[in-house]
Amino acid sequence: MSSQQSQHEQKWWKEGVVYQIYPSSFKDSNGDGIGDIPGIISKLDYLRELGVDIIWISPHYKSPQVDMGYDISDYEDIHEPYGTLEDCERLIQATHDRGMRIIFDLVINHTSDLHPWFLESRSSKSNPKRDWYIWRPAKYDENGNRCRPNNWRSNFSTPAWTWDEDTQEYYLHLYASEQPDLNWENEECRRAIYDTAIRFWLEKGIDGFRIDTVNRYSKYPGLPDAEVTQPDEETQIAVKYTTNGPRIHEFLTEINDILAPYDVFTVGELPCTPKQSEVMEYISARAKQLNMVFNFDTVDLGTTPGDRFRLKPYGNVDFKRELLKWQSAIADSDAWTTVFLENHDQGRSISRFASDLPEYRVQAGKMLAMILGTMTGTLFLYQGQEIGMINAPLSWPAHEYKCIRSVNHVEKIREKTNNDPAALCEALKILQKVARDHARVPMQWDDSPNAGFCSAKVDPWMSVIDSYKTINVADQMGRKDSVLEFWKRLLCLRKEYKELFVYGKFQLIEQDKDLMLFAKYGAGMKSLTVANLSSETKKWEMPSSMAVSDMKLIIGNMTGALDLLGPYEGRVYISTQ
């Protein structure tokens, strides 16, 4: 097997390490308690030293911030607390000046209800932009009561339809009521999206897009009622009718045609698409639609599709299966994949998939780093992941959670249980595990008040969590045993041995259910990644296909007996023979 070569064409966006920045929480430069674009510019040298090649900026566009910038009111302007259009142009140039590249979020399934397009659309039924959004008349029951066009639930656990009193119709929104869905069936609407949201920024020199909810633009014809799977609920999960619709690939081909003249790449957010065959339709190079997508099989572990807060058990066997399955799926294809465990919508990976207890936290962070850093695909890190940030504690009160999903969930529990303390306590336990807020707390730069994110004299837009006192950049910078310096070493090795770790052929090796072992082959070399996913010491053995004498340990997070792995221990071996 050592003679196997990668079939994947080498590209800068396959080899590049991508670092996602959540603007409001990264670095405040002007003392208002909100992160901003000048703050990002001030940390570009830090990111370059870390080993980052590409930065991804979460939505920074003009927005009323109902959903943290995913409700855009002007695609060609900047959210005022983040800075100006000129600041954004400086960021693009400063990133390029350091030899790095930059991608932006592309949010085009919906706009803000304050976007001029929607203001026109809702102004009258005869307005030329009426059909740019999805409007439907009311239905009526046998008693003459007004009913919504169907029983769909939005992704924020509310009805997916809102009544407009002025024009006496409902409009569709798969997210908040302030985020009306655009009507992609309207060609004029699509052309406007392409001009204002895509070409405008390509001409300013950005290097690609992370495309939000990339499979929701085409809805199922007729918008039928969803199957009733939760009889006690007023609305029903409608994933079947809101994702992967009949024209979605046509629309993505149109977008790709616009991008083709530029040296850029796309990564799509692809929710609710578990079938491998369906995913491959999006990421096959021959299809010319998307370069790669985020598959959420791993980060969705323990949650119910369409209902993040309805938890179910999972174990290390499930974690291994979901994390590694795309390694094999793309092996003999022209498709490409992503490698990630964190983003702005997920709890912290150490807390979710390992242990954030003080005695295990550091080695667990390093162990997960070794797994990710040696997997085939484009590697994505989220701000704070490189220092091992963890979830907020269980003691965090309900009022500290700011995410619209978290707020809605707590409010729903209050209403259903009449403020029952036990029910609210259980709701907070669930939020502590899977709320999006854990990724959105301020970045922990040092151990000064407000974690160095903003001045101690102001209140940050979202509270810092107490872990900043022991988990911060300043403490870890230059300290050889830190998670930060470990990530730096690992990213250097990933680049040095890119034929193995970025492009290499993957082979899963089964031993203990709590052990993750996989080999990589490429350019006449081979590697072995071995990781203990548990808090118990485990026995393991070098695979028979790999002679101990040939395999050199190039990085690990502990030192111990060859045949034993301590709690959350990881090792990477390599052979160039």
Side-chain angles (χ1 to χ4, degrees), residues 73-97:
S73 56
D74 189 340
Y75 288 105
E76 298 181 3
D77 203 355
I78 307 302
H79 181 49
E80 191 170 340
Y82 293 168
T84 63
L85 188 59
E86 290 72 26
D87 288 329
C88 196
E89 291 168 339
R90 281 200 306 123
L91 171 62
I92 295 169
Q93 186 61 51
T95 304
H96 289 161
D97 287 346

Side-chain angles (χ1 to χ4, degrees), residues 272-293:
C272 308
T273 310
K275 290 184 180 179
Q276 180 178 319
S277 59
E278 290 185 356
V279 174
M280 296 297 267
E281 292 180 33
Y282 287 93
I283 59 176
S284 164
R286 286 187 297 275
K288 295 184 178 179
Q289 294 183 21
L290 298 167
N291 295 126
M292 64 190 95
V293 296

Side-chain angles (χ1 to χ4, degrees), residues 387 443-454 456 464-476:
I387 59 171
M443 177 69 179
Q444 296 168 188
W445 293 106
D446 59 39
D447 63 358
S448 66
N450 290 331
F453 161 73
C454 64
V464 300
I465 54 176
D466 284 344
S467 63
Y468 80 89
K469 297 169 185 174
T470 53
I471 305 174
N472 62 75
V473 172
D475 177 64
Q476 296 187 26

Side-chain angles (χ1 to χ4, degrees), residues 391-457:
N391 282 4
L394 189 57
S395 59
W396 243 42
H399 70 264
E400 295 285 12
Y401 287 91
K402 307 296 186 187
C403 167
I404 188 172
R405 281 190 172 181
S406 302
V407 172
N408 285 351
H409 179 64
V410 170
E411 187 58 32
K412 178 181 176 181
I413 297 300
R414 290 189 193 279
E415 291 177 0
K416 288 184 71 172
T417 67
N418 195 26
N419 278 321
D420 178 60
L424 289 172
C425 181
E426 185 60 30
L428 284 176
K429 286 182 181 178
I430 292 171
L431 290 182
Q432 198 276 329
K433 292 179 179 178
V434 298
R436 302 195 297 180
D437 304 75
H438 302 297
R440 302 178 179 193
V441 297
M443 177 69 179
Q444 296 168 188
W445 293 106
D446 59 39
D447 63 358
S448 66
N450 290 331
F453 161 73
C454 64
S455 166
K457 299 177 182 178

